[in-house]
Amino acid sequence: TRTLLLGTDRDDTLGAALGVPTGPEPTPVAPGLTAWRPDTAQGFRDALAALQDRAASALDLLGASRLDPDELTPLP
């Protein structure tokens, strides 16, 4: 059985427990076992930037300025 372990904390406690560093890309740990600690903050910024791109004409019509993805923080 293939298993994917997800870690959601900013510190790499999952990696510490498994003995291998984890990060934004899935990391093979053992046969059939992969660990992944996705960068939720980057995902949030990317999703919001994509939403702004799709809604560009509506934002322009309303005179709303676009948000800079680098200035955004994810929700807690």
Side-chain angles (χ1 to χ4, degrees), residues 24-50:
E25 297 297 322
T27 304
V29 177
L33 178 61
T34 303
W36 183 27
R37 189 170 44 92
D39 184 351
T40 55
Q42 185 61 46
F44 176 78
R45 288 188 296 273
D46 292 346
L48 185 58

Side-chain angles (χ1 to χ4, degrees), residues 9-38:
D9 57 345
R10 291 183 182 163
D11 298 325
D12 193 12
T13 55
L14 177 62
L18 296 172
V20 295
T22 63
E25 297 297 322
T27 304
V29 177
L33 178 61
T34 303
W36 183 27
R37 189 170 44 92

Side-chain angles (χ1 to χ4, degrees), residues 51-53 55-67:
L51 175 64
Q52 289 184 122
D53 289 342
S57 59
L59 291 172
D60 291 342
L61 181 66
L62 295 171
S65 61
R66 290 179 176 82
L67 299 172

